[in-house]
Amino acid sequence: MSAEVSLKLIHNTSRDRFELWDDETFMGLVGYEKDGDVYILLHTVIEERFGQQGIARLLVSLVLTRMRLDGVRIRPVCSYVRRFLVRFPEYQLLVDHS
């Protein structure tokens, strides 16, 4: 990661995923499927060179904050997202229990 960080979260609808970029450098993604208006969060993947730096936590918090702002519901299948929701229960209101 460069000394000057210019992170951006991209919703790549053509690939069903949210991507985290630092300028032109791909850092990771949260992949999903949709079931109606519910996002089924399938997996979180971080580029190996960015591992163990808190990037997964940052990415998931950005995605969930975006979803909260957009008023959508989630179904967490991804084990990382499930653990994140236990650690940060303020995002539990997004979980679809149907």
Side-chain angles (χ1 to χ4, degrees), residues 2-97:
S2 62
E4 241 181 77
V5 179
S6 57
L7 295 177
K8 57 188 171 224
L9 180 68
I10 304 294
H11 186 186
N12 187 338
T13 56
S14 66
R15 298 188 74 183
D16 295 334
R17 65 192 201 177
F18 290 90
E19 302 170 346
L20 184 64
W21 292 80
D22 177 10
D23 195 24
E24 299 298 318
T25 304
F26 175 76
M27 299 179 77
L29 66 90
V30 173
Y32 66 83
E33 289 179 356
K34 285 190 77 179
D35 180 11
D37 292 336
V38 176
Y39 284 80
I40 303 167
L41 303 181
L42 300 172
H43 50 263
T44 301
V45 179
I46 301 301
E47 287 289 309
E48 190 173 339
R49 69 178 181 239
F50 299 114
Q52 305 302 314
Q53 297 178 37
I55 301 300
R57 184 175 68 194
L58 172 64
L59 172 57
V60 170
S61 67
L62 289 171
V63 168
L64 294 181
T65 298
R66 165 89 182 262
M67 292 181 158
R68 183 169 51 193
L69 291 172
D70 291 345
V72 300
R73 311 285 288 160
I74 65 167
R75 194 170 308 133
V77 173
C78 170
S79 60
Y80 185 87
V81 173
R82 292 170 78 94
R83 287 190 309 273
F84 182 93
L85 289 168
V86 169
R87 190 167 176 202
F88 300 96
E90 62 268 25
Y91 292 101
Q92 285 287 337
L93 57 97
L94 297 172
V95 177
D96 179 70
H97 295 287

